[in-house]
């Protein structure tokens, strides 16, 4: 885990550096920054795969780095020692790692039909579908996220990943809303809560930097931020 948190720190610093250097570009930088932060935030459990082929073209036929990162991050929120995900989730993850997200979604639908209270299966379904739609929130994607939240009370994972999809689209304000809500609803001892709080703090810093640069240069400003939620805030 130590190497994982080192990776988080390095990637977050890179994202902040990008904000400082190119924020003058206005809204165009928001999407650029969001793209850089995707792997800093979602890929915190993915530190690289040295066994992959050196050629990007060859590697892309065997593994999807984005899906791999999302799977590892999802597992970090749900992982309980000695307890594995359902067989549907395990098998579907194999398809998603190869970029076969539609096939993964089909398996996961069987999983949630068998156990409608499997929150991780619902979240895996939401992520597989959103990867298939390239981040577009279709009704099935939104429904899967909703069911994941209902089946995982107190787990910040559904809100974190829903916000992450918004972040990937450059919607920093929307991402912040999802993260703040997930943080306020998570118990103090919830798995991943501390990590989410740190990422929300970093995102607030980026939003402040971009807002200040926009005001200084007379560019369109981002929507005003809500106050940072207290750890003791009621849902």
């Amino acid at each position: 885990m130590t190497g994982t948190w080192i990776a988080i720190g390095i990637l977050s610093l890179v994202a902040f550096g990008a904000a400082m250097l190119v924020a003058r570009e206005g809204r165009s930088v928001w999407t650029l920054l969001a793209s850089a932060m995707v792997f800093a935030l979602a890929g915190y459990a993915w530190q690289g795969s040295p066994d992959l082929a050196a050629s990007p073209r060859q590697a892309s036929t065997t593994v999807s780095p984005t899906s791999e990162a999302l799977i590892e991050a999802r597992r970090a929120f749900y992982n309980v020692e000695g307890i594995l995900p359902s067989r549907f989730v395990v098998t579907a993850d194999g398809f998603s790692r190869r970029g076969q997200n539609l096939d993964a979604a089909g398996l996961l639908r069987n999983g949630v039909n068998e156990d409608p209270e499997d929150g991780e299966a619902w979240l895996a379904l939401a992520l597989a579908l959103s990867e298939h739609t390239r981040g577009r929130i279709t009704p099935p994607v939104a429904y899967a996220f909703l069911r994941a939240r209902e089946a995982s009370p107190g787990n910040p994972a559904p809100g974190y990943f829903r916000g992450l999809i918004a972040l990937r689209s450059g919607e920093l304000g929307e991402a912040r809303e999802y993260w703040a809500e997930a943080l306020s609803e998570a118990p103090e001892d919830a798995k991943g809560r501390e990590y989410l709080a740190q990422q929300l703090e970093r995102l607030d810093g980026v939003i402040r930097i971009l807002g200040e640069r926009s005001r200084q240069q007379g560019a369109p400003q981002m929507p005003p931020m809500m106050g940072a939620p207290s750890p003791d805030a009621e849902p």
Side-chain angles (χ1 to χ4, degrees), residues 52-75:
L52 291 182
S55 168
R57 180 173 300 177
Q58 182 177 353
S60 67
T61 64
T62 58
V63 66
S64 168
T66 304
S67 293
E68 175 74 14
L70 292 173
I71 290 167
E72 295 301 321
R74 188 203 74 224
R75 283 270 65 225

Side-chain angles (χ1 to χ4, degrees), residues 207-217:
I207 291 175
R208 280 195 296 271
I209 290 171
L210 294 179
E212 289 170 1
R213 292 295 180 90
S214 295
R215 285 192 294 272
Q216 291 172 1
Q217 298 168 20

Side-chain angles (χ1 to χ4, degrees), residues 24-171:
R24 70 186 63 184
E25 297 291 335
R27 182 173 175 81
S28 63
V29 73
W30 303 349
T31 301
L32 174 62
L33 176 60
S35 298
M37 290 183 69
V38 166
F39 294 98
L41 303 176
Y44 71 95
W46 179 54
Q47 302 174 61
S49 302
D51 58 325
L52 291 182
S55 168
R57 180 173 300 177
Q58 182 177 353
S60 67
T61 64
T62 58
V63 66
S64 168
T66 304
S67 293
E68 175 74 14
L70 292 173
I71 290 167
E72 295 301 321
R74 188 203 74 224
R75 283 270 65 225
F77 279 96
Y78 284 91
N79 184 40
V80 177
E81 187 174 356
I83 300 179
L84 294 175
S86 73
R87 67 185 188 280
F88 293 103
V89 173
V90 171
T91 306
D93 283 350
F95 281 102
S96 289
R97 285 186 172 96
R98 296 191 296 273
Q100 298 172 258
N101 293 293
L102 194 58
D103 293 328
L107 282 169
L108 291 164
R109 286 191 180 96
N110 292 333
V112 296
N113 285 336
E114 181 177 277
D115 182 6
E117 300 305 313
D118 187 341
E120 185 172 4
W122 278 113
L123 181 56
L125 175 59
L127 293 175
L129 290 172
S130 65
E131 286 292 281
H132 177 67
T133 63
R134 299 180 181 274
R136 187 163 55 90
I137 303 299
T138 61
V141 173
Y143 179 73
F145 269 115
L146 175 63
R147 293 301 303 271
R149 180 180 176 183
E150 293 174 346
S152 306
N155 191 321
Y160 170 73
F161 286 101
R162 182 64 181 83
L164 189 63
I165 291 176
L167 187 65
R168 292 173 69 175
S169 300
E171 301 296 336

